[in-house]
Each structure stands twice: as C-alpha cells, then as structure tokens.
Amino acid sequence: QVQLVESGGGLVQAGGSLRLSCAASGSITSFAAMGWYRQAPGKQREWVGTFTNGGMYYADSIKGRFTISKDNAKNTMYLQMNNLKAEDTAVYYCHARFLPRAYWGQGTQVTVSA
C-alpha cells in the first residue's frame, strides 16, 4: 500500500509562486510514473504533469510556468508553480502509478487571488 501526502498549498496573489510537495511512503524510484493533477470547482480533474523514466511531460496550460522535480532520497516529488494565475485555483493532487495500481493523495488547496 502506497500513501501520498501533499503539502504546500495556500493563498497567493496572481503572479506569485508556490511549491507543492508530495511525500510518498515508499521509494519513488519504484514507481512507473508520478505526477500532479488538479481539480477546480465545478470542473473535472485535469492532468498537470508527469514524470516517468522517459522524461517529464506537462500540460500546455502550465508549460513554462510549472516545474516538476523530485528528491529520491526523501521520496518526495515537488511542483514549483510560478507566475500563478486565477485560473490555477484548484485542489492539487499527487498521483503515482505503482503497477498494477494507481494511488492518489488527499489533495492540497491552491487559491490564487486576482
């Protein structure tokens, strides 16, 4: 059983930055993929970005503003969010694929004020 715990959300003004963390209970090097999703009020969950052994992949809506990184020693993945916009307001979820299952964190709220 894999547990994922997000942190780092909060309230920020437009143009500001936040860094989200996702701490995993196991070694993230054993995951087939790990990434971030978000869900805004009244909308479906949206893919933000993923890293696999093949590289990093990002949604067009955040490309150039958000960066995923990881610290294998801490079993932690990060999402650095810069130049935040009001439309980035959402609950952000960490996701990991540890075959054959997929796991989700509980989410962390990010609110960007205009």
Side-chain angles (χ1 to χ4, degrees):
Q1 184 75 8
V2 173
Q3 291 185 328
L4 305 172
V5 179
E6 301 98 333
S7 60
L11 174 64
V12 63
Q13 288 187 332
S17 298
L18 278 177
R19 189 178 79 157
L20 306 183
S21 300
C22 173
S25 60
S27 172
I28 64 173
T29 59
S30 64
F31 295 160
M34 199 170 182
W36 294 92
Y37 286 72
R38 68 185 182 184
Q39 188 166 16
K43 295 187 177 181
Q44 290 189 333
R45 193 167 295 190
E46 173 191 27
W47 172 68
V48 173
T50 299
F51 77 80
T52 70
N53 287 334
M56 296 283 186
Y57 306 92
Y58 297 99
D60 288 342
S61 60
I62 57 85
K63 199 173 292 184
R65 299 188 298 121
F66 292 8
T67 303
I68 294 174
S69 63
K70 58 189 178 76
D71 185 331
N72 292 339
K74 294 182 178 180
N75 293 319
T76 300
M77 175 182 63
Y78 303 97
L79 180 66
Q80 178 66 45
M81 305 185 293
N82 298 326
N83 190 22
L84 283 160
K85 305 176 181 180
E87 53 263 41
D88 295 319
T89 294
V91 178
Y92 284 72
Y93 296 91
C94 175
H95 173 266
R97 193 177 307 153
F98 185 54
L99 297 177
R101 294 186 60 182
Y103 296 87
W104 294 92
Q106 82 288 352
T108 186
Q109 176 71 46
V110 172
T111 303
V112 184
S113 61

